Amino acid sequence: MHSFVKQPTGVFPSVCPLDCPDQCGLLVHKQDGKIVKIQGDPNHPVTKGNICNKVRNMTERIYDPKRLKYPMKRTGAKGEGKFERISWDEAIETITSKWKELIETDGPESILPYSFYGNMGRLSAEGMDRRFFHRLGASLLDRSICSSAGSEGLKYTMGGGFGIDPEDTIHSKLIIFWGINAVSTNMHQVVLAQKARKNGAKIIAIDVHKNQTGQFADWFIPILPGTDAALALGMMHILFAENMVDNDFLKKYTVGHEELREHVVQYDPITVSGITGVPVEDIYKLARMYGQTTPSFIRIGNGLQHHDNGGMCIRTIACLPALTGQWLVKGGGAIKSNSGYLALNTRGLQRPDSLQNKHTRIINMNLLGQALLELDPPIKSLFVYGTNPAVVAPNSNKVRKGLAREDLFVVVHDLFLTETAKYADIVLPATSSFENTDLYTSYWHHYVQIQQPVIERYGESKSNVEVFQLLAKKMGFKDPCLYETEAEMISQALDNPNKPYLEGIDYETLVKKQYVKANVKPLLPGKLPTPSGKIELYSRKMEQDGYPPLPTYTPLVNDGDFPFLFVPGPNHNFLNTTFSNNEKHISFEKEPRLHMNIKDALSKGIKDGDQVRVWNNRGECVLKVSIGEDVLPGVVVTQGLWADAPGTKHLVNSLTPDRVADMGNGATFFSGRVNVEKVLD
């Protein structure tokens, strides 16, 4: 037993496990073996003791009476949620017997793992699970639901997930939050922006919805969904035309600036205004503020890449700091992701060498509904952990139809009987992050952190590492890498000779210090990991891959003849479906609402507070409407993924397309269209 667990009372270091860029340092207060309070660690250099409501009330989730305590098997119909208790031995025996049978009759690729980062611990999300499924020979999952389109776009421009150190943004004089509701999803960047504001910085928010970040900003610019690349190109047009570019920087550190200068002539402010809905004078004002203010910093959001054109959009915005030479100025540049700095040795962690068939099929997680209903040869078993696809995956009605297949053997490992777990044949109780040893790396700040167990296991729950080791043993696998300890796996993950940033950070150091900053140097002057070693405004690699080599605006795919663009963004108190079933967090968020422009509401005879039906040919929702000027005409926005509740129709992802984005096989959650009508009493 870990020493923290042995001590029934005290304050213990910890780390927030949520899929959030901030990855806060925490202090966990324990009394008589139970967590009684969670607070921020005031000594953490970035998060400095501030934490969000989600985590502050995490104890409500850990000790929720609805939490799963023991394994169960289904006794009712799929989706009904009727189960009875079984032992771990019976659960593991049932799963492995079924899998051995399937491997014999249909081959190992009839089995599909389905997971994401419900817990950002690297061992929980991509450690023993990957080793096990590689050895099993199961179908591979392309985990591209979140940031893959933008990561690919950023890679073409910058060579990977590289931005400035967020701690330097206190020096910025202009901060643009572009497509990110940072107040709800990156609060410490807002704290840093507030410090910069006290030193005279101006803050701009560009988004489809005047959310809390839009209200926080000095200037909010509403934009039509999926048109952000056009706005960035319009800014470039003005920067070149009015000679606000840094020619020395462009010559020394970029390729393609001459081609870009000619290319953006077509993106004049009148044309761009017609595409984006941003007034011509605002495009000039924005470009001039950006061109004349230094240091300027763009925080590029996650939402932008959830469009058909998401990869190109991120690639385009990422070009802007190069035009004005911001990368050489402290507090200048951009952050979309900083994950390139903290890149682990994924081969060591995941052991892809265990996969014998190098041609194993890869299934895109965004296409789960299609995969379950249409794939040939079919998927016969699904093992779900760290995610809740019945609510989170796009085109959810199709996903649920697939999960309801009688011949699909489903196993779910989770803390709760989620909407997905109700379709399972076997449900396994999962530990919370506070019960495990795990490694954490932020995709925003530069700190590597460790979680050591603080409390005893809840009921009979087990960690991902333990579950996959039990399954491996029962399958008769002898490979040593399937039985290594958490400490050994962490050591292997941190041993990445290709990444000098992690030098000197090892398991022992983390245990002693709790968090360690990577050895990150400014990007420039230096060689970038692009083919040219420079910022690629013109990318030959993109040309070879079949894309326009210069930043380009491409309209969204036609999503049917529905009048409204539909954007289901995040809310303040849930993180995807995490917390959506906890009473306290629901009470903070109250109820789901549809935000609609007053002009659209008047034309449809809809009043504030009315119940409206939101629908398309994929599904429908019934939501209360909020009328105002927070969205542009022709746009409707919801916030948060709400748990199924009896008598409600809140499943917003039943409306979202399961098309794949332009790059990285990413999701297109925000490129759907819907109709809206008042529900008649």
Side-chain angles (χ1 to χ4, degrees):
M1 194 190 289
H2 191 272
S3 61
F4 291 169
V5 179
K6 283 180 194 163
Q7 299 170 53
T9 301
V11 181
F12 306 92
S14 183
V15 53
C16 176
L18 296 177
D19 185 357
C20 165
D22 298 50
Q23 203 159 93
C24 298
L26 303 178
L27 294 177
V28 170
H29 296 247
K30 211 167 71 160
Q31 210 165 340
D32 302 327
K34 202 172 167 181
I35 295 174
V36 289
K37 182 181 163 188
I38 295 173
Q39 68 172 130
D41 179 354
N43 296 317
H44 190 285
V46 181
T47 61
K48 296 186 173 175
N50 299 310
I51 55 171
C52 71
N53 250 346
K54 296 188 264 283
V55 186
R56 192 176 289 110
N57 295 288
M58 185 81 100
T59 47
E60 306 273 335
R61 177 173 163 82
I62 298 164
Y63 299 115
D64 190 316
K66 297 194 293 285
R67 193 170 158 192
L68 296 172
K69 297 180 180 67
Y70 39 75
M72 300 190 294
K73 69 176 178 189
R74 179 168 62 85
T75 56
K78 285 206 168 200
E80 196 182 349
K82 285 191 176 169
F83 293 87
E84 67 177 33
R85 181 176 186 170
I86 56 171
S87 67
W88 269 101
D89 286 347
E90 186 183 338
I92 297 295
E93 172 63 43
T94 306
I95 297 165
T96 51
S97 300
K98 183 66 181 173
W99 282 354
K100 284 173 185 171
E101 188 187 302
L102 283 174
I103 289 166
E104 199 63 39
T105 57
D106 296 70
E109 289 178 58
S110 63
I111 301 162
L112 176 69
Y114 194 93
S115 72
F116 208 63
Y117 291 87
N119 174 348
M120 281 297 283
R122 301 298 288 268
L123 304 191
S124 295
E126 50 178 289
M128 195 56 75
D129 58 319
R130 307 293 172 95
R131 295 179 179 199
F132 173 78
F133 285 115
H134 285 144
R135 172 63 184 83
L136 190 72
S139 284
L140 298 167
L141 185 71
D142 184 6
R143 292 173 173 81
S144 55
I145 204 164
C146 183
S147 60
S148 60
S151 299
E152 201 67 16
L154 190 64
K155 195 174 174 183
Y156 283 126
T157 303
M158 302 298 297
F162 302 104
I164 66 170
D165 186 337
E167 293 177 77
D168 286 346
T169 61
I170 56 168
H171 303 293
S172 309
K173 292 298 177 199
L174 178 69
I175 296 174
I176 302 176
F177 287 110
W178 201 324
I180 178 170
N181 183 5
V183 171
S184 298
T185 65
N186 190 189
M187 66 173 277
H188 294 91
Q189 185 64 76
V190 174
V191 172
L192 293 164
Q194 189 67 294
K195 283 189 177 162
R197 183 188 251 162
K198 283 185 178 144
N199 295 327
K202 284 278 174 276
I203 297 169
I204 299 171
I206 303 169
D207 215 322
V208 300
H209 175 216
K210 193 171 186 179
N211 47 39
Q212 292 197 46
T213 308
Q215 290 159 26
F216 163 79
D218 299 306
W219 182 24
F220 172 68
I221 303 173
I223 188 169
L224 289 170
T227 67
D228 304 84
L231 181 59
L233 288 158
M235 290 171 69
M236 293 180 199
H237 173 102
I238 297 164
L239 292 171
F240 278 117
E242 299 190 356
N243 202 22
M244 292 186 282
V245 296
D246 183 334
N247 288 306
D248 291 343
F249 182 93
L250 289 171
K251 282 176 196 147
K252 199 168 178 185
Y253 297 109
T254 73
V255 292
H257 61 95
E258 299 97 336
E259 293 93 329
L260 184 64
R261 184 189 289 268
E262 283 174 38
H263 174 69
V264 298
V265 169
Q266 64 190 297
Y267 294 100
D268 60 275
I270 293 170
T271 302
V272 168
S273 178
I275 295 168
T276 60
V278 179
V280 170
E281 57 274 22
D282 286 355
I283 299 171
Y284 274 108
K285 182 182 168 188
L286 173 65
R288 286 167 182 158
M289 280 178 80
Y290 188 73
Q292 293 164 6
T293 313
T294 191
S296 63
F297 163 63
I298 306 174
R299 178 66 175 101
I300 307 172
N302 219 32
L304 300 167
Q305 69 199 323
H306 289 156
H307 282 295
D308 298 302
N309 55 17
M312 184 60 97
C313 171
I314 302 297
R315 182 254 191 297
T316 303
I317 298 169
C319 291
L320 278 167
L323 267 64
T324 59
Q326 290 304 310
W327 292 109
L328 292 180
V329 191
K330 201 180 184 70
I335 300 174
K336 188 286 179 181
S337 159
N338 272 328
S339 57
Y341 295 114
L342 302 186
L344 299 177
N345 181 345
T346 49
R347 291 189 72 77
L349 179 60
Q350 301 180 7
R351 296 301 299 270
D353 55 306
S354 306
L355 182 65
Q356 279 149 12
N357 173 11
K358 301 306 174 195
H359 301 289
T360 299
R361 67 178 173 180
I362 301 170
I363 295 169
N364 186 320
M365 71 186 302
N366 298 305
L367 307 178
L368 180 62
Q370 287 178 41
L372 293 178
L373 294 172
E374 298 161 26
L375 210 60
D376 187 27
I379 295 162
K380 291 290 190 74
S381 179
L382 192 67
F383 191 106
V384 181
Y385 55 104
T387 187
N388 181 12
V391 179
V392 174
N395 203 349
S396 334
N397 286 337
K398 202 173 196 179
V399 171
R400 292 181 181 208
K401 197 175 169 190
L403 290 170
R405 263 176 47 201
E406 277 306 324
D407 65 334
L408 180 72
F409 178 69
V410 179
V411 182
V412 174
H413 183 216
D414 208 306
L415 283 79
F416 294 92
L417 192 67
T418 61
E419 290 81 356
T420 308
K422 286 177 182 170
Y423 290 91
D425 297 280
I426 300 287
V427 175
L428 305 173
T431 48
S432 74
S433 65
F434 300 116
E435 297 153 49
N436 303 334
T437 298
D438 218 327
L439 175 70
Y440 288 84
T441 58
S442 167
Y443 47 92
W444 172 67
H445 64 62
H446 294 328
Y447 290 81
V448 182
Q449 308 185 72
I450 195 167
Q451 173 69 59
Q452 297 167 84
V454 176
I455 49 172
E456 296 267 15
R457 299 291 160 89
Y458 185 85
E460 295 178 18
S461 62
K462 293 187 188 296
S463 71
N464 285 17
V465 173
E466 289 172 298
V467 168
F468 290 111
Q469 288 180 332
L470 287 173
L471 289 167
K473 191 175 177 189
K474 198 68 180 171
M475 289 298 293
F477 298 158
K478 300 281 192 286
D479 316 50
C481 73
L482 295 171
Y483 302 100
E484 286 173 340
T485 64
E486 284 96 336
E488 287 170 319
M489 290 170 77
I490 290 171
S491 296
Q492 289 158 6
L494 289 169
D495 179 18
N496 192 356
N498 305 325
K499 280 284 178 276
Y501 312 117
L502 293 176
E503 210 178 305
I505 305 176
D506 55 27
Y507 173 76
E508 290 72 23
T509 308
L510 284 171
V511 167
K512 199 157 68 191
K513 296 188 172 175
Q514 182 64 23
Y515 45 79
V516 181
K517 189 171 188 177
N519 314 303
V520 175
K521 307 279 186 295
L523 271 181
L524 295 171
K527 199 171 179 327
L528 295 185
T530 55
S532 64
K534 298 180 176 186
I535 297 170
E536 303 214 337
L537 305 175
Y538 183 104
S539 166
R540 245 177 241 297
K541 175 88 173 73
M542 289 188 83
E543 205 164 21
Q544 288 159 9
D545 294 347
Y547 298 108
L550 287 160
T552 303
Y553 165 68
T554 316
L556 300 182
V557 172
N558 179 1
D559 192 56
D561 194 18
F562 299 97
F564 298 101
L565 284 155
F566 174 61
V567 179
N571 69 16
H572 197 69
N573 292 293
F574 308 162
L575 209 159
N576 294 324
T577 61
T578 303
F579 306 113
S580 68
N581 65 333
N582 298 114
E583 299 306 326
K584 189 152 196 176
H585 294 82
I586 294 169
S587 72
F588 293 144
E589 202 57 46
K590 298 187 175 62
E591 62 185 340
R593 282 182 170 255
L594 183 80
H595 298 271
M596 188 178 205
N597 188 278
I598 192 161
K599 286 181 188 160
D600 291 329
L602 285 168
S603 74
K604 286 191 160 274
I606 294 170
K607 294 197 292 295
D608 193 62
D610 279 350
Q611 291 286 326
V612 292
R613 175 175 173 253
V614 191
W615 59 278
N616 58 22
N617 48 16
R618 289 181 286 265
E620 66 171 11
C621 290
V622 176
L623 302 164
K624 192 180 273 191
V625 74
S626 281
I627 307 293
E629 306 250 317
D630 288 351
V631 294
L632 290 174
V635 179
V636 289
V637 169
T638 62
Q639 290 182 288
L641 297 177
W642 293 75
D644 285 356
T648 64
K649 282 189 178 176
H650 293 161
L651 185 61
V652 294
N653 275 330
S654 66
L655 303 164
T656 52
D658 55 359
R659 293 189 301 273
V660 170
D662 56 347
M663 292 175 202
N665 298 320
T668 56
F669 287 111
F670 295 172
S671 286
R673 297 191 78 94
V674 296
N675 206 340
V676 180
E677 60 194 13
K678 185 176 172 175
V679 174
L680 300 171
D681 299 330

